[in-house]
Amino acid sequence: MNVLVIGSGGREHALVWKLAQSAEVKKVFAAPGNGGTAGEAKCTNIAVDGDISEEKTQTGLLEFAKQEHIDLTIIGPEAPLAEGIVDRFRAEGLAVVGPDKNAARLETSKAFSKSFMERYGVRTARGKIFRGHDAALRFVQGYFKGTGFSFKDEAEPPPEKKPSSLVIKADGLAAGKGVIIAASLAEAEGALASFMRDKTLGEAGTTVVLEECIEGTEISVLAALSASPGKKPCILPFVSARDHKRRFDGAKGPNTGGMGAIAPVPDFSEIAQKDFRTAVLEPTLKGISAEGMEYRGFIFFGLMIRKNRCYLLEYNVRLGDPETQAVLPLLDSDFAELCKAMLDHSLDNFPLVWKEGAVCAPVAVAAGYPGAYDKGDPITIDRPALQETGAKLFFAGAAATAGTGAAVSGPLITSGGRVLSASAWGVNAVEARERAYRALKAVSFADMDYRTDIGRE
Ligand code: AMP
Ligand code: GLY
């Protein structure tokens, strides 16, 4: 079969790589892909005119899929899902992995997902939705002064100590800039003014969710989901993963798109895993089914674990980046088959098999990232040294020096802040980490930098 992967990051490179391993897959097209996907077996990059979240661009992709007899399309990032790319492809009878626009609201609207969690009893931080600045401000003032509003009267018993910080979430997609953890009234007021009054995030910030801050450890669970109205829904969770979002060692510095990931997470205890099933996964599935959602695609549970209890912080309606780069190398099952099973509602019979061992995938970035950084620097790779580690490089901000689309050629240069991840398997987490960091030593580009504590933090 011929497969189309939409997106251009490290996650999409990992998807292309995994799909190419399937005996059933003849060709993979990456739209637009990157310098890494261009070099992958069976893969051809497709030049994309415009932004993949725009209708015009999506129509172009749809025409391409029809012309090339694409049997399966996988959407990597959330933005095109938010704009209904799945609805467009399905309306033309094409097989596409992802939620429709309505179901994508689980990620694209924090107010929708919060009320969904509450409606179906998915355990989450206690929160309230505000659509106007003044009411939100009154709540925040009451919360910090301890005189007025609090979350205490909500269903769950209060924690022993009232958390002092308040989490402020813009309702809409905000490219990682929509969540502020405010430790003081002044910070909270500032966030509300910026989101709701000054509209620094546009419409995305005009509604906010305010919620209590849960202190614990974060875990990402990615899963395959198959739900359509009238069909028995099914969800298959993958091995757990952890992203390391802060820029510098010791989880210091600004938030980033992810500085590295590991899988599985060693501290995700049996008790917590069971709790995840009963407190998060099962009520989610019940809710998706009760709402009659059309969702045959990947789902991502962003969890906070406190004392073996799982709290759902967010849904993403896609695979995580960089979690996918750590999870897919552990998957022993055929990925194209998995996608087909999601689409034809046979997921409950699908044999999802995982390799033993662990993967560590630190990300190499251009030093200035997430601030300003240079682009266009040559990337050199000591192939024998890399091969000796067994690691796989998944590229993100990397482009070929010449040509576009199917005609790309030449050595790779940097084209973004997060340039690549080195995903290494090991019999255990220690070996995986040692190999991954040895692999990064085989790579160089100007101002290359990375965190040295992925999997150790
Ligand atoms: P979200 O987009 O909702 O996952 O939020 C982004 C990040 O903010 C999460 O990955 C957490 O690190 C943090 N966060 C979100 N909600 C909470 C919460 N209720 N308590 C503590 N941290 C949170
Ligand atoms: N790694 C977090 C995300 O993909 O949203």
Side-chain angles (χ1 to χ4, degrees):
M1 65 169 136
N2 295 334
V3 187
L4 172 63
V5 174
I6 295 180
S8 61
R11 165 184 50 209
E12 287 74 26
H13 187 182
L15 283 168
V16 163
W17 167 82
K18 187 67 191 163
L19 284 160
Q21 290 169 10
S22 169
E24 281 197 53
V25 171
K26 211 165 78 203
K27 285 190 200 162
V28 186
F29 296 95
N34 60 40
T37 58
E40 216 44 70
K42 302 185 186 176
C43 185
T44 307
N45 280 5
I46 301 304
V48 175
D49 252 350
D51 188 324
I52 53 174
S53 58
E54 282 168 12
E55 185 174 344
K56 196 165 80 49
T57 314
Q58 293 185 3
T59 305
L61 290 167
L62 181 59
E63 287 308 315
F64 172 84
K66 288 199 285 194
Q67 258 165 32
E68 292 293 327
H69 305 288
I70 296 293
D71 302 289
L72 174 69
T73 299
I74 300 171
I75 317 295
E78 64 278 16
L81 294 166
E83 294 306 322
I85 191 167
V86 165
D87 309 56
R88 282 194 187 105
F89 273 59
R90 289 236 167 92
E92 300 275 341
L94 293 174
V96 55
V97 172
D100 70 4
K101 186 173 178 172
N102 173 56
R105 284 185 300 159
L106 286 171
E107 173 169 358
T108 61
S109 166
K110 299 257 187 223
F112 175 81
S113 66
K114 194 80 191 169
S115 42
F116 176 93
M117 291 175 211
E118 284 168 358
R119 210 156 47 244
Y120 297 102
V122 179
R123 193 188 299 127
T124 181
R126 283 170 291 190
K128 285 185 191 293
I129 299 163
F130 290 92
R131 299 184 196 278
H133 175 260
D134 294 351
L137 185 64
R138 277 198 301 278
F139 177 88
V140 160
Q141 287 167 342
Y143 178 83
F144 278 102
K145 289 181 185 150
T147 53
F149 301 95
S150 78
F151 296 114
K152 278 197 178 143
D153 45 346
E154 307 288 322
E156 213 181 314
E160 300 101 67
K161 126 175 133 38
K162 185 174 151 192
S164 54
S165 295
L166 186 67
V167 185
I168 299 168
K169 298 186 175 187
D171 177 50
L173 289 182
K177 297 190 167 52
V179 176
I180 289 181
I181 300 184
S184 66
L185 175 59
E187 271 182 72
E189 285 176 339
L192 290 184
S194 151
F195 288 176
M196 303 185 93
R197 212 187 50 209
D198 305 340
K199 304 210 170 129
T200 52
L201 301 174
E203 281 308 301
T206 53
T207 292
V208 296
V209 175
L210 303 183
E211 65 184 39
E212 65 175 336
C213 182
I214 308 225
E215 278 161 37
T217 52
E218 276 192 81
I219 290 179
S220 310
V221 178
L222 320 182
L225 166 63
S226 179
S228 300
K231 301 268 190 205
K232 188 168 170 277
C234 179
I235 193 162
L236 281 187
F238 296 174
V239 292
S240 58
R242 173 168 288 146
D243 184 5
H244 296 61
K245 289 198 177 98
R246 300 295 198 109
R247 173 64 176 80
F248 301 113
D249 280 9
K252 300 213 165 65
N255 260 325
T256 68
M259 294 296 294
I262 55 157
V265 177
D267 50 85
F268 194 24
S269 71
E270 292 276 332
I271 304 171
Q273 288 181 45
K274 241 172 115 185
D275 181 71
F276 164 67
R277 282 195 169 268
T278 52
V280 176
L281 191 148
E282 283 162 15
T284 297
L285 200 54
K286 199 177 80 199
I288 285 175
S289 180
E291 304 254 324
M293 282 183 181
E294 173 52 59
Y295 194 148
R296 287 175 277 163
F298 299 104
I299 188 163
F300 167 130
F301 299 92
L303 304 173
M304 188 70 89
I305 319 289
R306 183 174 68 190
K307 294 187 184 159
N308 278 329
R309 279 163 75 80
C310 297
Y311 294 81
L312 184 67
L313 300 185
E314 65 165 345
Y315 295 110
N316 291 321
V317 295
R318 51 171 174 82
L319 292 171
D321 188 334
E323 287 93 331
T324 302
Q325 294 91 303
V327 167
L328 285 190
L330 283 170
L331 180 62
D332 242 348
S333 313
D334 185 302
F335 198 74
E337 292 281 352
L338 173 67
C339 292
K340 273 169 51 187
M342 279 192 275
L343 293 176
D344 66 18
H345 302 101
S346 60
L347 205 52
D348 47 354
N349 295 319
F350 190 82
L352 201 57
V353 182
W354 298 99
K355 289 186 178 69
E356 295 289 323
V359 170
C360 179
V363 172
V365 300
Y369 175 79
Y373 51 81
D374 287 341
K375 290 182 188 176
D377 295 316
I379 303 170
T380 57
I381 300 163
D382 179 344
R383 293 276 167 197
L386 176 66
Q387 202 169 6
E388 197 262 320
T389 67
K392 171 74 190 167
L393 299 183
F394 291 123
F395 290 91
T401 22
T404 57
V408 295
S409 62
L412 296 180
I413 51 171
T414 61
S415 62
R418 291 193 301 159
V419 176
L420 57 90
S421 67
S423 294
W425 176 89
V427 285
N428 54 36
V430 174
E431 189 186 72
R433 197 164 58 233
E434 187 274 320
R435 288 186 180 191
Y437 279 106
R438 210 144 36 84
L440 281 185
K441 293 244 179 312
V443 177
S444 80
F445 54 87
D447 290 334
M448 172 174 159
D449 194 20
Y450 50 84
R451 273 181 64 166
T452 65
D453 62 350
I454 300 306
R456 239 174 344 110
E457 179 205 306

